[in-house]
DNA sequence: TCGTATTTGTACGTATGTATT
DNA sequence: AAATACATACGTACAAATACG
Protein backbone atom coordinates (compact mmCIF):
# COMPACT_ATOMS: atom_id res chain seq x y z
CA UNK A 1 0.00 0.00 0.00
CA UNK A 2 3.04 2.22 0.04
CA UNK A 3 2.38 3.31 -3.48
CA UNK A 4 -0.47 5.77 -3.31
CA UNK A 5 1.08 7.09 -6.45
CA UNK A 6 2.28 4.15 -8.39
CA UNK A 7 4.15 4.03 -11.65
CA UNK A 8 2.47 2.29 -14.51
CA UNK A 9 3.60 -1.21 -15.10
CA UNK A 10 5.14 -1.87 -18.44
CA UNK A 11 2.77 -4.75 -19.08
CA UNK A 12 -0.05 -3.53 -21.30
CA UNK A 13 -3.05 -5.77 -21.91
CA UNK A 14 -3.87 -6.68 -25.46
CA UNK A 15 -7.28 -5.09 -25.35
CA UNK A 16 -5.75 -1.77 -24.34
CA UNK A 17 -3.40 -1.68 -27.30
CA UNK A 18 -6.32 -2.54 -29.58
CA UNK A 19 -8.32 0.27 -27.96
CA UNK A 20 -5.47 2.70 -28.48
CA UNK A 21 -5.10 1.77 -32.10
CA UNK A 22 -8.81 2.19 -32.73
CA UNK A 23 -8.80 5.54 -30.93
CA UNK A 24 -5.96 6.62 -33.19
CA UNK A 25 -7.88 5.51 -36.26
CA UNK A 26 -10.86 7.58 -35.23
CA UNK A 27 -8.71 10.57 -34.49
CA UNK A 28 -7.09 10.28 -37.90
CA UNK A 29 -10.50 10.14 -39.51
CA UNK A 30 -10.04 6.67 -40.93
CA UNK A 31 -13.63 6.22 -39.87
CA UNK A 32 -15.81 9.30 -39.70
CA UNK A 33 -18.87 10.14 -37.57
CA UNK A 34 -21.83 8.15 -38.79
CA UNK A 35 -19.64 5.44 -40.31
CA UNK A 36 -20.03 1.86 -39.30
CA UNK A 37 -16.89 0.16 -38.12
CA UNK A 38 -16.10 -3.22 -39.65
CA UNK A 39 -17.81 -6.08 -37.86
CA UNK A 40 -16.31 -7.39 -34.66
CA UNK A 41 -15.33 -10.67 -36.24
CA UNK A 42 -13.48 -8.88 -39.00
CA UNK A 43 -11.74 -6.48 -36.66
CA UNK A 44 -10.82 -9.33 -34.33
CA UNK A 45 -9.19 -11.13 -37.22
CA UNK A 46 -7.38 -7.98 -38.35
CA UNK A 47 -5.97 -7.47 -34.88
CA UNK A 48 -5.34 -11.16 -34.49
CA UNK A 49 -7.23 -11.31 -31.21
CA UNK A 50 -10.33 -13.14 -30.10
CA UNK A 51 -13.68 -11.44 -30.42
CA UNK A 52 -13.96 -11.20 -26.63
CA UNK A 53 -10.74 -9.25 -26.43
CA UNK A 54 -11.83 -6.95 -29.20
CA UNK A 55 -15.12 -6.35 -27.41
CA UNK A 56 -13.22 -5.23 -24.32
CA UNK A 57 -11.59 -2.58 -26.47
CA UNK A 58 -14.97 -1.60 -27.89
CA UNK A 59 -16.29 -1.14 -24.36
CA UNK A 60 -13.54 1.37 -23.66
CA UNK A 61 -14.34 3.26 -26.85
CA UNK A 62 -17.96 3.33 -25.84
CA UNK A 63 -17.13 4.68 -22.40
CA UNK A 64 -15.19 7.45 -24.09
CA UNK A 65 -18.29 8.32 -26.06
CA UNK A 66 -16.53 7.59 -29.33
CA UNK A 67 -18.77 4.84 -30.63
CA UNK A 68 -22.22 3.43 -30.04
CA UNK A 69 -22.91 -0.30 -30.18
CA UNK A 70 -26.15 -1.82 -31.30
CA UNK A 71 -27.15 -5.37 -31.72
CA UNK A 72 -27.78 -6.10 -35.34
CA UNK A 73 -26.60 -2.70 -36.52
CA UNK A 74 -22.95 -2.51 -35.74
CA UNK A 75 -20.54 -0.16 -34.06
CA UNK A 76 -21.20 3.40 -35.17
CA UNK A 77 -18.76 6.28 -34.87
CA UNK A 78 -20.30 9.16 -32.92
CA UNK A 79 -19.93 12.80 -33.79
CA UNK A 80 -19.44 14.58 -30.50
CA UNK A 81 -15.77 14.05 -30.28
CA UNK A 82 -15.07 17.74 -29.88
CA UNK A 83 -16.00 17.52 -26.22
CA UNK A 84 -13.21 15.10 -25.47
CA UNK A 85 -11.68 17.40 -22.92
CA UNK A 86 -11.58 16.34 -19.35
CA UNK A 87 -15.02 17.02 -18.04
CA UNK A 88 -15.97 17.60 -14.44
CA UNK A 89 -17.04 13.97 -14.20
CA UNK A 90 -13.38 13.04 -14.20
CA UNK A 91 -11.17 13.79 -11.23
CA UNK A 92 -8.86 16.65 -12.07
CA UNK A 93 -8.17 20.21 -11.05
CA UNK A 94 -11.30 22.20 -11.88
CA UNK A 95 -9.80 25.53 -10.89
CA UNK A 96 -7.24 25.15 -13.63
CA UNK A 97 -9.20 23.04 -16.12
CA UNK A 98 -12.26 25.23 -16.38
CA UNK A 99 -10.97 28.74 -16.01
CA UNK A 100 -11.78 30.78 -19.09
CA UNK A 101 -8.44 32.50 -18.69
CA UNK A 102 -5.13 30.70 -18.44
CA UNK A 103 -3.79 30.25 -14.92
CA UNK A 104 -0.31 31.70 -14.95
CA UNK A 105 0.66 31.81 -11.30
CA UNK A 106 0.03 29.64 -8.28
CA UNK A 107 0.67 30.53 -4.68
CA UNK A 108 0.87 27.71 -2.17
CA UNK A 109 1.14 27.67 1.59
CA UNK A 110 0.93 24.92 4.13
CA UNK A 111 0.07 24.56 7.79
CA UNK A 112 -0.80 21.84 10.25
CA UNK A 113 -3.54 21.39 12.77
CA UNK A 114 -5.19 18.67 14.85
CA UNK A 115 -8.00 16.89 13.03
CA UNK A 116 -11.34 18.52 13.70
CA UNK A 117 -14.32 16.32 14.29
CA UNK A 118 -15.40 16.75 10.70
CA UNK A 119 -11.96 15.73 9.46
CA UNK A 120 -12.02 12.71 11.70
CA UNK A 121 -15.19 11.72 10.00
CA UNK A 122 -14.57 12.35 6.34
CA UNK A 123 -10.87 11.49 6.42
CA UNK A 124 -11.39 8.56 8.79
CA UNK A 125 -8.81 9.82 11.26
CA UNK A 126 -8.23 9.37 14.95
CA UNK A 127 -8.64 12.40 17.22
CA UNK A 128 -4.89 12.54 17.74
CA UNK A 129 -4.17 12.82 14.03
CA UNK A 130 -2.58 15.79 12.36
CA UNK A 131 -4.06 17.31 9.25
CA UNK A 132 -2.12 19.32 6.71
CA UNK A 133 -3.91 22.40 5.44
CA UNK A 134 -2.76 23.51 2.03
CA UNK A 135 -3.99 26.82 0.73
CA UNK A 136 -3.57 27.47 -2.94
CA UNK A 137 -4.31 30.73 -4.70
CA UNK A 138 -4.53 30.72 -8.48
CA UNK A 139 -3.78 33.81 -10.53
CA UNK A 140 -4.50 34.81 -14.06
CA UNK A 141 -3.01 37.97 -15.53
CA UNK A 142 -1.99 39.16 -12.13
CA UNK A 143 -5.42 38.77 -10.55
CA UNK A 144 -6.51 36.03 -8.18
CA UNK A 145 -9.24 33.93 -9.80
CA UNK A 146 -9.49 30.83 -7.66
CA UNK A 147 -8.65 29.55 -4.22
CA UNK A 148 -8.35 26.05 -2.80
CA UNK A 149 -8.32 24.82 0.77
CA UNK A 150 -6.98 21.30 0.82
CA UNK A 151 -7.08 19.11 3.92
CA UNK A 152 -4.86 16.11 3.84
CA UNK A 153 -3.94 13.53 6.47
CA UNK A 154 -0.34 14.17 7.43
CA UNK A 155 0.34 10.53 6.71
CA UNK A 156 -0.36 10.96 3.03
CA UNK A 157 2.09 13.84 2.68
CA UNK A 158 4.58 11.88 4.70
CA UNK A 159 4.51 8.93 2.35
CA UNK A 160 4.89 11.29 -0.58
CA UNK A 161 8.39 12.39 0.43
CA UNK A 162 7.46 16.02 0.10
CA UNK A 163 9.79 18.82 1.09
CA UNK A 164 7.52 20.83 3.36
CA UNK A 165 9.73 23.88 3.03
CA UNK A 166 9.42 23.95 -0.73
CA UNK A 167 5.97 25.19 -1.64
CA UNK A 168 6.37 24.23 -5.26
CA UNK A 169 7.14 20.68 -4.24
CA UNK A 170 3.95 20.64 -2.15
CA UNK A 171 1.85 21.89 -5.04
CA UNK A 172 3.40 19.39 -7.44
CA UNK A 173 2.58 16.60 -5.01
CA UNK A 174 -1.01 17.77 -4.89
CA UNK A 175 -1.23 17.78 -8.68
CA UNK A 176 0.35 14.36 -8.87
CA UNK A 177 -2.21 13.05 -6.41
CA UNK A 178 -5.07 14.39 -8.48
CA UNK A 179 -3.76 12.77 -11.62
CA UNK A 180 -2.59 9.56 -10.01
CA UNK A 181 -5.56 7.50 -11.12
CA UNK A 182 -7.70 5.15 -9.10
CA UNK A 183 -9.45 7.99 -7.32
CA UNK A 184 -13.06 8.79 -6.90
CA UNK A 185 -14.91 11.56 -5.16
CA UNK A 186 -18.02 12.69 -3.44
CA UNK A 187 -18.46 16.19 -4.76
CA UNK A 188 -20.88 18.96 -4.03
CA UNK A 189 -21.20 22.13 -6.01
CA UNK A 190 -23.04 25.22 -4.94
CA UNK A 191 -23.07 28.96 -5.03
CA UNK A 192 -22.41 31.02 -2.00
CA UNK A 193 -21.48 34.50 -0.88
CA UNK A 194 -17.96 35.72 -0.44
CA UNK A 195 -17.13 36.31 3.19
CA UNK A 196 -14.44 38.09 5.06
CA UNK A 197 -11.31 36.04 4.54
CA UNK A 198 -12.01 35.03 0.98
CA UNK A 199 -12.89 38.57 0.08
CA UNK A 200 -9.34 39.59 0.87
CA UNK A 201 -7.75 36.67 -0.91
CA UNK A 202 -9.73 36.82 -4.12
CA UNK A 203 -10.15 40.56 -4.06
CA UNK A 204 -13.91 40.29 -4.41
CA UNK A 205 -16.35 42.48 -2.46
CA UNK A 206 -18.10 40.74 0.44
CA UNK A 207 -21.54 39.42 -0.39
CA UNK A 208 -20.68 38.72 -4.01
CA UNK A 209 -21.64 35.31 -5.31
CA UNK A 210 -19.00 32.65 -5.85
CA UNK A 211 -18.88 29.06 -6.99
CA UNK A 212 -17.89 26.51 -4.36
CA UNK A 213 -16.88 22.94 -5.05
CA UNK A 214 -16.47 20.79 -1.96
CA UNK A 215 -15.33 17.22 -2.15
CA UNK A 216 -13.64 14.26 -0.59
CA UNK A 217 -11.32 12.10 -2.63
CA UNK A 218 -10.87 8.40 -1.97
CA UNK A 219 -8.63 5.77 -3.41
CA UNK A 220 -10.00 2.68 -5.03
CA UNK A 221 -9.23 1.01 -1.72
CA UNK A 222 -11.71 3.35 -0.08
CA UNK A 223 -8.95 5.22 1.73
CA UNK A 224 -9.56 8.96 2.12
CA UNK A 225 -6.83 10.95 0.42
CA UNK A 226 -7.97 14.51 0.88
CA UNK A 227 -10.87 16.80 1.45
CA UNK A 228 -10.97 20.10 -0.33
CA UNK A 229 -12.96 23.22 -0.89
CA UNK A 230 -12.47 25.07 -4.14
CA UNK A 231 -13.60 28.63 -4.71
CA UNK A 232 -14.04 29.86 -8.25
CA UNK A 233 -14.82 33.44 -9.11
CA UNK A 234 -17.98 34.21 -11.05
CA UNK A 235 -17.89 34.89 -14.78
CA UNK A 236 -14.46 33.34 -15.02
CA UNK A 237 -15.51 29.75 -14.90
CA UNK A 238 -17.44 27.41 -17.13
CA UNK A 239 -17.57 23.80 -16.02
CA UNK A 240 -18.22 21.25 -18.73
CA UNK A 241 -19.14 17.65 -18.24
CA UNK A 242 -20.66 14.67 -19.92
CA UNK A 243 -23.77 13.18 -18.40
CA UNK A 244 -25.10 9.75 -19.12
CA UNK A 245 -28.33 7.97 -18.46
CA UNK A 246 -28.48 5.49 -15.64
CA UNK B 1 -36.62 4.26 -34.46
CA UNK B 2 -40.17 5.01 -33.49
CA UNK B 3 -39.39 4.20 -29.93
CA UNK B 4 -37.43 7.08 -28.57
CA UNK B 5 -39.02 6.02 -25.35
CA UNK B 6 -39.13 2.28 -25.30
CA UNK B 7 -40.56 -0.09 -22.74
CA UNK B 8 -38.20 -2.51 -21.13
CA UNK B 9 -38.19 -5.93 -22.65
CA UNK B 10 -39.11 -8.74 -20.33
CA UNK B 11 -35.94 -10.62 -21.16
CA UNK B 12 -33.37 -9.92 -18.48
CA UNK B 13 -29.80 -11.12 -18.94
CA UNK B 14 -28.41 -13.46 -16.34
CA UNK B 15 -25.65 -11.10 -15.29
CA UNK B 16 -28.19 -8.39 -14.53
CA UNK B 17 -30.19 -10.59 -12.20
CA UNK B 18 -26.95 -11.59 -10.48
CA UNK B 19 -26.03 -7.91 -10.18
CA UNK B 20 -29.43 -7.11 -8.73
CA UNK B 21 -29.20 -9.89 -6.19
CA UNK B 22 -25.74 -8.77 -5.11
CA UNK B 23 -26.91 -5.16 -4.85
CA UNK B 24 -29.74 -6.36 -2.65
CA UNK B 25 -27.31 -8.28 -0.47
CA UNK B 26 -25.19 -5.21 0.05
CA UNK B 27 -28.22 -3.08 0.80
CA UNK B 28 -29.39 -5.61 3.37
CA UNK B 29 -25.98 -5.56 4.99
CA UNK B 30 -25.22 -9.20 4.28
CA UNK B 31 -21.75 -7.91 3.49
CA UNK B 32 -20.63 -4.73 5.19
CA UNK B 33 -18.19 -2.02 4.11
CA UNK B 34 -14.68 -3.36 4.36
CA UNK B 35 -15.80 -6.96 4.01
CA UNK B 36 -14.43 -9.15 1.27
CA UNK B 37 -16.99 -10.81 -0.90
CA UNK B 38 -16.60 -14.55 -1.49
CA UNK B 39 -14.24 -15.35 -4.35
CA UNK B 40 -15.54 -15.13 -7.88
CA UNK B 41 -15.36 -18.85 -8.40
CA UNK B 42 -17.40 -19.48 -5.28
CA UNK B 43 -19.99 -16.84 -6.13
CA UNK B 44 -20.20 -18.14 -9.69
CA UNK B 45 -20.96 -21.58 -8.35
CA UNK B 46 -23.52 -20.25 -5.88
CA UNK B 47 -25.34 -18.43 -8.65
CA UNK B 48 -24.88 -21.35 -10.99
CA UNK B 49 -23.31 -19.14 -13.65
CA UNK B 50 -19.92 -19.09 -15.29
CA UNK B 51 -17.24 -16.91 -13.82
CA UNK B 52 -17.37 -14.64 -16.87
CA UNK B 53 -21.03 -13.93 -16.31
CA UNK B 54 -20.43 -13.24 -12.65
CA UNK B 55 -17.65 -10.83 -13.56
CA UNK B 56 -20.06 -8.88 -15.74
CA UNK B 57 -22.22 -8.41 -12.67
CA UNK B 58 -19.17 -7.36 -10.64
CA UNK B 59 -18.37 -4.74 -13.25
CA UNK B 60 -21.78 -3.18 -12.77
CA UNK B 61 -21.31 -3.14 -9.00
CA UNK B 62 -17.97 -1.47 -9.48
CA UNK B 63 -19.46 1.17 -11.77
CA UNK B 64 -22.00 1.90 -9.07
CA UNK B 65 -19.17 2.47 -6.64
CA UNK B 66 -20.35 -0.37 -4.43
CA UNK B 67 -17.27 -2.56 -4.57
CA UNK B 68 -13.62 -2.32 -5.49
CA UNK B 69 -11.80 -5.14 -7.27
CA UNK B 70 -8.18 -5.96 -6.79
CA UNK B 71 -6.14 -8.68 -8.24
CA UNK B 72 -5.02 -11.05 -5.56
CA UNK B 73 -7.03 -9.31 -2.86
CA UNK B 74 -10.65 -9.82 -3.72
CA UNK B 75 -13.78 -7.79 -4.14
CA UNK B 76 -14.15 -5.38 -1.27
CA UNK B 77 -17.35 -3.68 -0.23
CA UNK B 78 -16.95 0.10 -0.21
CA UNK B 79 -18.35 2.39 2.42
CA UNK B 80 -19.59 5.40 0.53
CA UNK B 81 -22.94 3.98 -0.26
CA UNK B 82 -24.77 6.90 1.29
CA UNK B 83 -24.10 8.95 -1.79
CA UNK B 84 -26.10 6.61 -3.97
CA UNK B 85 -28.47 9.32 -5.04
CA UNK B 86 -28.58 10.34 -8.64
CA UNK B 87 -25.62 12.61 -9.09
CA UNK B 88 -25.19 15.28 -11.74
CA UNK B 89 -23.11 12.85 -13.76
CA UNK B 90 -26.30 10.99 -14.57
CA UNK B 91 -28.90 12.48 -16.87
CA UNK B 92 -31.89 13.62 -14.85
CA UNK B 93 -33.68 16.78 -13.89
CA UNK B 94 -31.23 18.87 -11.85
CA UNK B 95 -33.76 21.58 -11.07
CA UNK B 96 -35.84 19.06 -9.18
CA UNK B 97 -33.14 16.66 -8.01
CA UNK B 98 -30.85 19.17 -6.37
CA UNK B 99 -33.16 21.77 -4.94
CA UNK B 100 -32.73 22.00 -1.19
CA UNK B 101 -36.45 22.56 -0.91
CA UNK B 102 -39.09 20.27 -2.37
CA UNK B 103 -40.54 21.38 -5.70
CA UNK B 104 -44.29 21.44 -5.21
CA UNK B 105 -45.55 23.15 -8.33
CA UNK B 106 -44.56 23.25 -11.96
CA UNK B 107 -45.79 25.67 -14.59
CA UNK B 108 -45.31 24.69 -18.22
CA UNK B 109 -45.91 26.57 -21.43
CA UNK B 110 -45.10 25.78 -25.02
CA UNK B 111 -44.52 27.67 -28.22
CA UNK B 112 -43.09 27.06 -31.65
CA UNK B 113 -40.59 28.88 -33.79
CA UNK B 114 -38.41 28.28 -36.83
CA UNK B 115 -35.05 26.77 -36.02
CA UNK B 116 -32.43 29.44 -35.44
CA UNK B 117 -28.99 28.91 -36.83
CA UNK B 118 -27.78 27.68 -33.48
CA UNK B 119 -30.61 25.17 -33.25
CA UNK B 120 -29.87 23.97 -36.75
CA UNK B 121 -26.39 23.25 -35.57
CA UNK B 122 -26.84 21.62 -32.19
CA UNK B 123 -30.09 19.86 -33.03
CA UNK B 124 -28.95 18.92 -36.53
CA UNK B 125 -32.00 20.46 -38.18
CA UNK B 126 -32.74 21.86 -41.61
CA UNK B 127 -33.47 25.61 -41.91
CA UNK B 128 -37.14 24.84 -42.57
CA UNK B 129 -37.55 22.91 -39.32
CA UNK B 130 -39.81 23.91 -36.49
CA UNK B 131 -38.56 23.95 -32.92
CA UNK B 132 -40.76 23.61 -29.88
CA UNK B 133 -39.87 25.94 -27.03
CA UNK B 134 -40.99 24.66 -23.66
CA UNK B 135 -40.70 26.98 -20.72
CA UNK B 136 -40.97 25.42 -17.30
CA UNK B 137 -41.09 27.32 -14.04
CA UNK B 138 -40.54 25.38 -10.82
CA UNK B 139 -42.01 26.53 -7.53
CA UNK B 140 -41.32 25.67 -3.95
CA UNK B 141 -43.54 26.92 -1.17
CA UNK B 142 -45.20 29.37 -3.50
CA UNK B 143 -41.97 30.92 -4.74
CA UNK B 144 -40.31 30.34 -8.10
CA UNK B 145 -36.94 28.64 -7.60
CA UNK B 146 -35.94 27.38 -11.03
CA UNK B 147 -36.66 27.94 -14.68
CA UNK B 148 -36.02 25.81 -17.75
CA UNK B 149 -35.99 26.72 -21.42
CA UNK B 150 -36.21 23.53 -23.42
CA UNK B 151 -35.75 23.47 -27.19
CA UNK B 152 -36.94 20.35 -28.90
CA UNK B 153 -37.29 19.44 -32.57
CA UNK B 154 -40.99 19.38 -33.34
CA UNK B 155 -40.50 15.90 -34.74
CA UNK B 156 -39.63 14.49 -31.33
CA UNK B 157 -42.77 15.86 -29.72
CA UNK B 158 -44.75 14.63 -32.69
CA UNK B 159 -43.60 11.07 -32.27
CA UNK B 160 -44.39 11.27 -28.58
CA UNK B 161 -48.14 11.65 -29.15
CA UNK B 162 -48.30 14.63 -26.87
CA UNK B 163 -51.43 16.69 -26.45
CA UNK B 164 -50.09 20.18 -27.09
CA UNK B 165 -53.07 21.76 -25.40
CA UNK B 166 -52.47 19.89 -22.18
CA UNK B 167 -49.46 21.43 -20.44
CA UNK B 168 -49.25 18.62 -17.92
CA UNK B 169 -48.99 16.13 -20.75
CA UNK B 170 -46.14 18.17 -22.24
CA UNK B 171 -44.25 18.25 -18.94
CA UNK B 172 -44.77 14.55 -18.39
CA UNK B 173 -43.36 13.87 -21.83
CA UNK B 174 -40.31 15.94 -20.99
CA UNK B 175 -39.79 14.01 -17.77
CA UNK B 176 -40.24 10.72 -19.56
CA UNK B 177 -37.64 11.73 -22.11
CA UNK B 178 -35.14 12.58 -19.40
CA UNK B 179 -35.62 9.23 -17.72
CA UNK B 180 -35.91 7.17 -20.86
CA UNK B 181 -32.37 5.85 -20.75
CA UNK B 182 -29.82 5.70 -23.52
CA UNK B 183 -29.15 9.42 -23.39
CA UNK B 184 -25.99 11.39 -23.00
CA UNK B 185 -25.22 15.04 -22.85
CA UNK B 186 -22.76 17.79 -23.43
CA UNK B 187 -23.27 19.99 -20.43
CA UNK B 188 -21.88 23.33 -19.38
CA UNK B 189 -22.34 24.86 -16.00
CA UNK B 190 -21.64 28.46 -15.11
CA UNK B 191 -22.71 31.38 -13.05
CA UNK B 192 -24.23 34.43 -14.58
CA UNK B 193 -26.28 37.49 -13.75
CA UNK B 194 -30.04 37.65 -13.79
CA UNK B 195 -31.32 39.78 -16.61
CA UNK B 196 -34.61 41.37 -17.46
CA UNK B 197 -36.92 38.55 -18.40
CA UNK B 198 -35.60 36.04 -15.87
CA UNK B 199 -35.74 38.63 -13.16
CA UNK B 200 -39.48 38.79 -13.61
CA UNK B 201 -39.97 35.06 -13.77
CA UNK B 202 -37.84 34.09 -10.82
CA UNK B 203 -38.56 37.22 -8.86
CA UNK B 204 -34.88 37.95 -8.35
CA UNK B 205 -33.38 41.44 -8.65
CA UNK B 206 -31.48 42.12 -11.85
CA UNK B 207 -27.75 41.69 -11.54
CA UNK B 208 -28.03 38.95 -8.94
CA UNK B 209 -25.96 35.84 -9.56
CA UNK B 210 -27.62 32.66 -10.74
CA UNK B 211 -26.54 29.16 -11.70
CA UNK B 212 -26.97 28.23 -15.35
CA UNK B 213 -26.78 24.73 -16.75
CA UNK B 214 -26.80 24.54 -20.53
CA UNK B 215 -26.79 21.26 -22.36
CA UNK B 216 -27.64 19.22 -25.40
CA UNK B 217 -29.00 15.73 -25.02
CA UNK B 218 -28.41 13.00 -27.58
CA UNK B 219 -29.62 9.46 -27.95
CA UNK B 220 -27.22 6.57 -28.08
CA UNK B 221 -27.74 6.73 -31.82
CA UNK B 222 -26.25 10.23 -31.76
CA UNK B 223 -29.59 11.83 -32.55
CA UNK B 224 -30.17 15.20 -30.84
CA UNK B 225 -33.20 15.06 -28.57
CA UNK B 226 -33.23 18.46 -27.00
CA UNK B 227 -31.21 21.47 -26.02
CA UNK B 228 -31.96 23.17 -22.76
CA UNK B 229 -30.95 25.97 -20.46
CA UNK B 230 -31.69 25.57 -16.78
CA UNK B 231 -31.64 28.44 -14.30
CA UNK B 232 -31.26 27.68 -10.63
CA UNK B 233 -31.54 30.31 -7.94
CA UNK B 234 -28.61 30.85 -5.62
CA UNK B 235 -28.56 29.39 -2.13
CA UNK B 236 -31.35 27.00 -3.05
CA UNK B 237 -29.26 24.53 -4.95
CA UNK B 238 -26.53 22.07 -4.16
CA UNK B 239 -25.41 19.83 -6.99
CA UNK B 240 -23.79 16.57 -5.99
CA UNK B 241 -21.88 14.26 -8.22
CA UNK B 242 -19.38 11.44 -8.25
CA UNK B 243 -16.14 12.02 -10.03
CA UNK B 244 -13.77 9.29 -11.12
CA UNK B 245 -10.23 9.19 -12.33
CA UNK B 246 -9.63 8.79 -16.02
C1' DT C 1 -44.33 -8.99 -46.02
C1' DC C 2 -41.34 -12.50 -45.11
C1' DG C 3 -37.34 -14.96 -44.75
C1' DT C 4 -32.40 -14.86 -44.54
C1' DA C 5 -27.97 -13.04 -43.69
C1' DT C 6 -25.39 -10.08 -40.82
C1' DT C 7 -24.00 -8.26 -36.49
C1' DT C 8 -23.84 -7.59 -31.77
C1' DG C 9 -25.28 -9.59 -27.01
C1' DT C 10 -25.08 -13.26 -23.75
C1' DA C 11 -23.13 -17.35 -21.71
C1' DC C 12 -20.12 -21.15 -21.07
C1' DG C 13 -15.67 -23.45 -20.50
C1' DT C 14 -10.71 -23.47 -20.31
C1' DA C 15 -6.11 -21.93 -19.68
C1' DT C 16 -2.60 -19.01 -18.19
C1' DG C 17 -0.70 -14.66 -16.09
C1' DT C 18 0.02 -11.76 -12.11
C1' DA C 19 -0.71 -9.63 -7.62
C1' DT C 20 -1.60 -10.49 -2.83
C1' DT C 21 -1.61 -13.08 1.26
C1' DA D 1 7.51 -20.84 -1.52
C1' DA D 2 2.81 -21.96 -1.99
C1' DA D 3 -1.95 -21.00 -2.08
C1' DT D 4 -5.47 -17.83 -3.29
C1' DA D 5 -7.87 -14.60 -6.16
C1' DC D 6 -8.57 -11.59 -9.77
C1' DA D 7 -7.02 -10.29 -14.84
C1' DT D 8 -6.44 -11.50 -19.39
C1' DA D 9 -7.22 -14.23 -23.46
C1' DC D 10 -8.99 -17.80 -26.46
C1' DG D 11 -12.65 -20.49 -28.49
C1' DT D 12 -17.40 -21.94 -29.08
C1' DA D 13 -22.35 -21.65 -29.30
C1' DC D 14 -26.61 -19.70 -29.46
C1' DA D 15 -29.95 -15.63 -28.88
C1' DA D 16 -31.75 -11.38 -30.40
C1' DA D 17 -31.92 -7.20 -33.10
C1' DT D 18 -31.34 -5.29 -37.43
C1' DA D 19 -30.76 -4.90 -42.44
C1' DC D 20 -31.73 -6.39 -46.89
C1' DG D 21 -33.22 -8.80 -50.78
Amino acid sequence: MDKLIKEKNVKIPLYVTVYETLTQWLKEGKYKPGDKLPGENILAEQFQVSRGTLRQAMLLLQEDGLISNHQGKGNIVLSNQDMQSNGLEKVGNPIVDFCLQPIDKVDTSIGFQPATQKHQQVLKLRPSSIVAVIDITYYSKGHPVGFAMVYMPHEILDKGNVDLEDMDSVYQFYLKLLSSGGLYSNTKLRMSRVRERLSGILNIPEGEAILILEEQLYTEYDIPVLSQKLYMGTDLYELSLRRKSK
Side-chain angles (χ1 to χ4, degrees), chain A:
Chain A
M1 192 87 54
D2 240 352
K3 42 169 182 179
L4 226 173
I5 300 177
K6 59 186 169 191
E7 318 74 56
K8 290 167 194 159
N9 276 337
V10 261
K11 176 78 178 183
I12 294 175
L14 251 181
Y15 69 88
V16 173
T17 65
V18 171
Y19 155 73
E20 283 169 348
T21 305
L22 285 169
T23 302
Q24 190 58 32
W25 283 6
L26 295 184
K27 196 184 292 177
E28 287 168 358
K30 181 162 176 174
Y31 297 98
K32 294 185 176 46
D35 286 359
K36 193 179 87 61
L37 290 180
E40 293 178 351
N41 288 309
I42 296 173
L43 281 177
E45 182 150 13
Q46 277 186 29
F47 283 107
Q48 285 289 301
V49 299
S50 71
R51 191 176 149 223
T53 300
L54 184 107
R55 277 176 63 80
Q56 285 189 76
M58 291 310 221
L59 194 62
L60 294 181
L61 287 173
Q62 202 192 20
E63 280 170 4
D64 286 353
L66 291 175
I67 64 167
S68 117
N69 319 87
H70 282 284
Q71 193 172 155
K73 276 186 91 164
N75 296 295
I76 312 291
V77 181
L78 295 180
S79 59
N80 297 73
Q81 304 185 19
D82 18 315
M83 172 36 196
Q84 273 307 317
S85 64
N86 246 0
L88 187 64
E89 75 278 10
K90 299 291 179 190
V91 172
N93 190 343
I95 294 192
V96 173
D97 295 344
F98 301 118
C99 190
L100 297 173
Q101 295 176 11
I103 302 292
D104 45 34
K105 195 184 138 208
V106 175
D107 191 16
T108 311
S109 69
I110 191 169
F112 298 90
Q113 56 178 233
T116 64
Q117 211 152 19
K118 193 189 164 194
H119 292 147
Q120 291 172 36
Q121 225 172 38
V122 302
L123 297 179
K124 293 182 190 163
L125 293 173
R126 290 186 314 270
S128 61
S129 306
I130 294 292
V131 172
V133 186
I134 306 175
D135 286 350
I136 311 173
T137 315
Y138 296 83
Y139 297 87
S140 175
K141 302 174 184 171
H143 299 288
V145 295
F147 180 67
M149 288 174 29
V150 183
Y151 300 91
M152 196 183 293
H154 173 254
E155 204 190 43
I156 303 275
L157 262 175
D158 209 29
K159 283 180 181 165
N161 266 330
V162 183
D163 178 358
L164 297 179
E165 298 291 322
D166 177 10
M167 284 307 119
D168 188 52
S169 152
V170 171
Y171 180 61
Q172 291 304 326
F173 177 71
Y174 168 68
L175 288 186
K176 211 170 165 188
L177 256 189
L178 289 185
S179 63
S180 63
L183 294 183
Y184 63 96
S185 82
N186 284 343
T187 303
K188 287 188 176 177
L189 197 64
R190 61 178 200 277
M191 272 171 59
S192 188
R193 310 280 167 184
V194 173
R195 270 185 260 239
E196 207 182 333
R197 183 180 171 219
L198 208 60
S199 170
I201 295 171
L202 289 182
N203 199 19
I204 293 177
E206 283 194 45
E208 271 290 285
I210 194 169
L211 206 51
I212 302 183
L213 187 152
E214 187 170 6
E215 69 181 354
Q216 291 89 44
L217 291 179
Y218 303 86
T219 69
E220 44 194 343
Y221 294 92
D222 212 19
I223 299 168
V225 170
L226 61 84
S227 156
Q228 63 181 354
K229 248 178 154 167
L230 311 182
Y231 299 86
M232 294 170 270
T234 326
D235 304 330
L236 279 173
Y237 279 88
E238 181 174 83
L239 314 180
S240 48
L241 73 148
R242 239 184 133 73
R243 311 170 73 205
K244 288 185 185 174
S245 282
K246 256 221 295 206

